[in-house]
Amino acid sequence: MSELINNREHTAQELTERQRTLKEIIKELHAGKSVEEVKARFAEAVGGVSVAEISAMEHALMTEEGIPVSEVQRLCSVHTSIFKGSIEDIHRPSGPEEQPGHPVHTFKLENREIERLVNFKLALHAEQFQKEDSPKVIYKLLEDLSLLMDLDKHYSRKENLVFPYLERYGIFGPTKVMWGVDDGIRAAIKEAKSLLAEYNGDREQIGKALAHIMSEVNEMIFKEENILLPMALSKLTEDEWLKIARESEEIGFCLTAPEREWIPERAEEPAEALEQTEGTSGTPQGFVRFETGIVSVQQLELLLNHLPVDLTFIDENDVVRYFSHGKERIFARTKAVIGRTVQNCHPPQSVHVVEKLLEDFKAGRKDVEDFWIPIKDKFVYIRYFAIRDAEGRYLGTLEFTQNIAPIRALEGQKRILSE
Amino acid sequence: MDKILHWDEPIFNLVNRYPEVKDIMVELGFHDIAKPGMLQTAGRFMTLSKGIALKKVAMETVERTFLQHGFTIQK
């Protein structure tokens, strides 16, 4: 941490000094000097450098020196090769989390992309916008924000894959607080997008909205890398990280993707054992006898997965027991939610709705509750059913989610005989 | 006898040593520290130096405030 403090001790003047040196080096590169030639000078002039500083410098190059964006972008790869050395010298690879494919490595990789997008592109366009609120600039901002919306996947992996394990170790408060902040950032991006889409000439309002997003996103990166991820690393076992890595694809990645699958240096055997205990490999044996027929476990599973709806079942203690796994799930679910209470699977902002619903079900006041929301080209119909036994005892809740857009679009008739 | 805090010591340790540190942190704008579970978990990784970087509070402000409460911050 000492580099952080040292940075703080620099006076504003010293910082500008440092940035001036950095700019000179970039200009030398621009003038044709080789990477090797400037590398030494760079190391001498600047001990450690933060990504924020690189961004600030690149920004200054464009705005003050008038170097076109395309040129700076062309130089980006060169910057990276120089700066990489110095950044990596400070943070020498020390553990599995430094290996490509490890969830922590992936989270950090994504953060670098997010930083580039927010501190470089978005910041530049936001500034342009204050000078000239033309449709062209508005379009660029909208494009940046749409790209930035990708961090939904970064946050979702954190919330649905990492948080469940932390909760297993008794860490609840911080994860809830962070989830709330994540949701705030998602909402802020959406809000800014709609403000831009229906731009009414209020430059200041948009400037504020964008500045808010930039600072919140940067702050979240800081929290993740300095608090959340170190905390998770200290608690989670390698097996747990493996599970997280394997389930990550289900949700997807933000602006980038791990370059390869993470294979810990140990023997392969535990991985197999892991699969066996989870029952993910091989065909489950046995039959299920119902009142109205007998099906094998395999048939039952396939049958449920072929229903054109997503099912999730929680038991009477609000613990997620099962979800179907169809081809086009509307809301991503990962195996990590199984065994978690439903309250911890919902964003804190909406959890009270869920609690109220379950309360009504348990008290017998309601048996069903429906919601419907348009999501992009889908129209999602979400139904909750209280599951009760013959005596009416509450045994759990079934969530039944369906895209009814194609059904709503039906008109006229189609009979078996019509061609 | 001076009460000494270190920039790089986890807040959890600081508060364990001097419970009043928690209130001073809240006073400085570190509201999250008061939320349930925060201190025992995130507080083990959070330090004063990370806090000033995160909340963009001036180091002088933090030092001065702690000094008023009889604490010296050591680097």
Side-chain angles (χ1 to χ4, degrees):
Chain A
M1 281 318 299
S2 58
E3 74 272 11
L4 244 175
I5 303 156
N6 291 340
N7 281 349
R8 283 278 148 178
E9 281 177 356
H10 283 302
T11 61
Q13 208 177 358
E14 271 176 296
L15 269 172
T16 357
E17 188 69 37
R18 185 146 117 171
Q19 280 200 9
R20 198 174 308 136
T21 318
L22 284 169
K23 270 200 296 196
E24 276 171 26
I25 293 172
I26 296 295
K27 281 205 266 182
E28 281 176 16
L29 271 175
H30 191 56
K33 277 202 179 176
S34 77
V35 175
E36 285 313 309
E37 273 176 284
V38 293
K39 215 168 183 168
R41 185 169 167 221
F42 171 77
E44 190 190 338
V46 189
V49 67
S50 69
V51 179
E53 239 174 299
I54 302 171
S55 306
M57 173 207 60
E58 286 175 339
H59 192 73
L61 270 177
M62 287 182 291
T63 51
E64 292 161 27
E65 310 290 323
I67 296 176
V69 182
S70 58
E71 276 301 306
V72 176
Q73 278 168 344
R74 193 175 64 83
L75 286 173
C76 261
S77 54
V78 187
H79 307 181
T80 324
S81 94
I82 300 180
F83 293 136
K84 217 176 174 180
S86 65
I87 292 169
E88 279 176 2
D89 285 346
I90 307 167
H91 306 285
R92 233 172 270 283
S94 53
E97 70 272 16
E98 306 284 345
Q99 295 161 7
H102 188 287
V104 171
H105 185 271
T106 310
F107 277 124
K108 289 187 176 173
L109 201 68
E110 289 176 321
N111 278 344
R112 300 292 80 75
E113 291 297 320
I114 298 168
E115 273 170 346
R116 207 164 300 170
L117 176 62
V118 169
N119 301 336
F120 183 68
K121 280 179 86 180
L122 186 64
L124 174 72
H125 294 148
E127 198 163 299
Q128 276 178 0
F129 175 81
Q130 290 305 323
K131 289 184 197 137
E132 171 208 343
D133 55 352
S134 67
K136 203 179 108 194
V137 181
I138 291 179
Y139 180 73
K140 279 186 192 159
L141 282 173
L142 277 170
E143 199 181 70
D144 293 341
L145 290 176
S146 298
L147 267 176
L148 190 58
M149 212 44 217
D150 213 24
L151 56 71
D152 174 56
K153 288 181 246 165
H154 178 95
Y155 292 165
S156 289
R157 291 210 318 285
K158 200 169 68 178
E159 293 153 356
N160 294 302
L161 293 173
V162 179
F163 288 2
Y165 289 111
L166 286 174
E167 281 159 15
R168 227 170 264 186
Y169 292 101
I171 297 172
F172 291 96
T175 54
K176 281 217 175 80
V177 171
M178 190 176 262
W179 198 330
V181 180
D182 288 348
D183 279 345
I185 294 174
R186 289 175 171 118
I189 298 173
K190 272 189 201 158
E191 163 84 9
K193 273 178 82 178
S194 60
L195 281 177
L196 280 163
E198 302 151 13
Y199 182 52
N200 60 6
D202 193 344
R203 269 189 220 202
E204 206 194 330
Q205 187 189 23
I206 291 189
K208 269 190 197 157
L210 294 174
H212 174 71
I213 291 172
M214 290 187 255
S215 90
E216 287 287 291
V217 168
N218 277 314
E219 202 168 294
M220 182 54 74
I221 291 175
F222 186 93
K223 282 186 207 163
E224 282 178 11
E225 299 198 354
N226 288 286
I227 302 162
L228 179 80
L229 294 175
M231 188 160 78
L233 281 170
S234 76
K235 300 274 177 193
L236 272 52
T237 64
E238 193 169 77
D239 277 359
E240 287 169 332
W241 286 116
L242 256 181
K243 284 188 212 167
I244 293 174
R246 281 178 194 176
E247 295 210 331
S248 289
E249 203 124 342
E250 168 95 7
I251 295 175
F253 302 98
C254 164
L255 302 169
T256 178
E259 56 187 82
R260 61 182 174 83
E261 191 192 345
W262 173 53
I263 300 158
E265 279 169 25
R266 61 187 183 177
E268 283 166 33
E269 185 229 355
E272 274 172 31
L274 192 78
E275 280 194 4
Q276 268 170 17
T277 52
E278 299 234 314
T280 50
S281 69
T283 313
Q285 301 295 308
F287 290 83
V288 184
R289 184 186 298 273
F290 295 109
E291 240 179 274
T292 46
I294 299 170
V295 287
S296 74
V297 172
Q298 190 198 11
Q299 284 168 336
L300 181 61
E301 183 160 30
L302 287 169
L303 190 150
L304 290 166
N305 287 344
H306 276 76
L307 290 177
V309 297
D310 293 342
L311 306 175
T312 305
F313 176 66
I314 57 163
D315 68 11
E316 73 273 27
N317 298 316
D318 306 343
V319 174
V320 180
R321 285 291 169 208
Y322 166 79
F323 62 86
S324 67
H325 211 265
K327 273 186 210 123
E328 291 173 19
R329 234 188 181 286
I330 297 166
F331 301 117
R333 291 267 187 281
T334 60
K335 283 179 205 147
V337 303
I338 294 171
R340 265 178 109 189
T341 67
V342 71
Q343 284 84 351
N344 289 323
C345 303
H346 276 267
Q349 275 84 346
S350 68
V351 78
H352 67 281
V353 182
V354 177
E355 302 233 40
K356 175 79 178 62
L357 180 67
L358 292 175
E359 218 176 272
D360 285 346
F361 280 2
K362 286 174 190 167
R365 282 191 293 268
K366 270 184 194 165
D367 279 324
V368 58
E369 181 80 282
D370 299 342
F371 301 92
W372 47 95
I373 34 175
I375 301 179
K376 287 183 195 151
D377 55 335
K378 294 187 178 113
F379 196 92
V380 182
Y381 190 33
I382 309 160
R383 318 192 66 187
Y384 292 94
F385 300 100
I387 304 292
R388 303 189 196 281
D389 66 9
E391 278 86 50
R393 252 197 317 257
Y394 174 81
L395 289 183
T397 291
L398 176 69
E399 183 195 59
F400 183 101
T401 315
Q402 188 177 13
N403 173 20
I404 57 164
I407 300 174
R408 277 170 34 116
L410 293 180
E411 273 178 24
Q413 55 181 311
K414 180 182 177 188
R415 303 196 174 210
I416 292 175
L417 290 177
S418 56
E419 184 42 43
Chain B
M1 169 79 183
D2 259 8
K3 294 190 271 188
I4 308 248
L5 307 173
H6 290 268
W7 279 115
D8 292 325
E9 210 179 334
I11 305 290
F12 176 79
N13 295 4
L14 301 182
V15 175
N16 265 354
R17 210 157 62 231
Y18 311 109
E20 64 266 40
V21 164
K22 189 165 152 184
D23 297 326
I24 306 173
M25 299 278 303
V26 174
E27 182 188 325
L28 278 162
F30 301 92
H31 301 288
D32 285 345
I33 199 85
K35 291 182 180 152
M38 276 288 179
L39 193 63
Q40 288 74 19
T41 55
R44 291 180 199 267
F45 294 89
M46 197 66 199
T47 62
L48 287 174
S49 57
K50 284 182 188 177
I52 57 168
L54 178 62
K55 300 278 180 187
K56 302 189 180 61
V57 181
M59 188 147 93
E60 298 72 39
T61 314
V62 177
E63 273 188 312
R64 191 163 7 89
T65 311
F66 273 108
L67 208 59
Q68 283 163 359
H69 289 88
F71 288 97
T72 313
I73 300 183
Q74 206 176 68
K75 278 152 208 169

